[in-house]
């Protein structure tokens, strides 16, 4: 495995345990399942329920703590981002947006981003199109073709209980990996190898 793929997953939930975090980790696990035997996947999960206080009091990036700065650098350096938030007041959480307000304006150009969200019912599913895609379009990122929305009834005791949701997760990853493959930074000597994902 001569190519390493860096994946950073961000859960915008403000609580733990969290259905959003469960969804983020399921998406990350699916990526690893589909390509982990061919590519060395380096993954990191950012839980805003844990690191959020490191961001909340800052008005400028140079106000951030070393921990918060480190997480921002991970986001900016990733080959693939998986981002998710619970629906809160018809959008992603304010802290999720606050974190991405610190990300460099040009740091995510051409970066593939897999979008996900959780909410109480199907009525909130369009958050992926109306909130997430415009945000990452600003960054000139590649939002992957399929996002994953999950509702409360897809979970039981903070575990995925819906076969339909599992299928959506697998499909979103399968459809997105060709874009990840073409946009990830690949050294010339391994480009042929990575093209076999």
């Amino acid at each position: 495995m001569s190519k390493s793929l860096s994946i950073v997953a961000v859960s915008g939930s403000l609580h733990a345990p969290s259905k959003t975090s469960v969804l983020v980790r399921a998406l990350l696990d699916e990526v690893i399942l589909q390509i982990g035997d061919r590519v060395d996947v380096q993954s990191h999960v950012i839980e805003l329920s844990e690191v959020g206080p490191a961001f909340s009091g800052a008005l400028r990036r140079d106000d951030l703590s070393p921990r918060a700065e480190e997480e921002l650098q991970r986001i900016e350096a990733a080959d693939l981002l998986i981002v998710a938030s619970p629906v809160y007041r018809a959008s992603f959480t304010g802290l999720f947006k606050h974190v991405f307000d610190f990300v460099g304006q040009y740091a995510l150009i051409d970066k593939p981003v897999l979008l996900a969200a959780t909410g109480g019912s199907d009525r909130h599913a369009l958050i992926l199109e109306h909130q997430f895609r415009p945000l990452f379009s600003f960054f000139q990122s590649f939002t992957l073709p399929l996002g994953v929305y999950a509702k409360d009834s897809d979970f039981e005791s903070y575990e995925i209980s819906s076969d339909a949701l599992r299928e959506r997760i697998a499909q979103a990853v399968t459809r997105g990996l060709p874009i990840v493959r073409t946009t990830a930074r690949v050294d010339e000597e391994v480009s042929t190898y990575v093209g076999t994902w």
Side-chain angles (χ1 to χ4, degrees):
M1 292 187 201
S2 52
K3 169 59 181 173
S4 176
L5 184 76
S6 169
I7 306 174
V8 172
V10 181
S11 171
S13 177
L14 307 182
H15 306 284
S18 160
K19 297 177 183 79
T20 304
S21 295
V22 170
L23 179 58
V24 158
R25 291 180 185 276
L27 287 162
L28 178 58
D29 289 345
E30 183 65 27
V31 174
I32 294 170
L33 177 68
Q34 290 195 26
I35 65 168
D37 60 338
R38 288 159 284 176
V39 177
D40 179 23
V41 177
Q42 304 294 319
S43 64
H44 178 72
V45 178
I46 299 172
E47 299 272 5
L48 295 193
S49 61
E50 295 175 7
V51 302
F55 288 92
S56 59
L59 300 178
R60 299 187 319 271
R61 186 155 174 169
D62 56 10
D63 292 334
L64 292 172
S65 69
R67 169 92 187 270
E69 177 61 31
E70 180 183 0
E71 301 291 24
L72 284 179
Q73 289 178 17
R74 287 179 186 270
I75 289 170
E76 293 172 342
D79 296 312
L80 167 64
L81 286 178
I82 299 171
V83 298
S85 174
V87 178
Y88 187 77
R89 303 285 197 259
S91 185
F92 28 64
T93 60
L95 187 55
F96 177 91
K97 176 61 165 58
H98 187 59
V99 168
F100 279 92
D101 283 343
F102 290 117
V103 171
Q105 181 174 348
Y106 305 109
L108 305 185
I109 289 176
D110 295 340
K111 190 181 302 294
V113 183
L114 177 52
L115 308 175
T118 58
S121 73
D122 286 331
R123 290 176 297 183
H124 301 293
L126 287 176
I127 184 176
L128 296 174
E129 308 305 321
H130 293 174
Q131 301 291 328
F132 279 91
R133 288 198 197 277
L135 173 62
F136 290 97
S137 291
F138 165 80
F139 285 113
Q140 302 175 58
S141 304
F142 279 119
T143 53
L144 299 185
L146 297 180
V148 179
Y149 176 81
K151 58 186 181 294
D152 284 350
S153 60
D154 291 324
F155 301 87
E156 186 174 329
S157 300
Y158 294 99
E159 293 184 2
I160 294 174
S161 58
S162 164
D163 289 337
L165 176 56
R166 291 188 191 96
E167 289 172 10
R168 291 198 303 273
I169 289 169
Q171 186 179 36
V173 171
T174 300
R175 290 278 305 278
L177 281 177
I179 295 172
V180 177
R181 185 168 55 235
T182 57
T183 58
R185 296 181 297 274
V186 179
D187 295 332
E188 248 181 69
E189 62 270 20
V190 297
S191 60
T192 303
Y193 172 79
V194 174
T196 65
W197 284 5

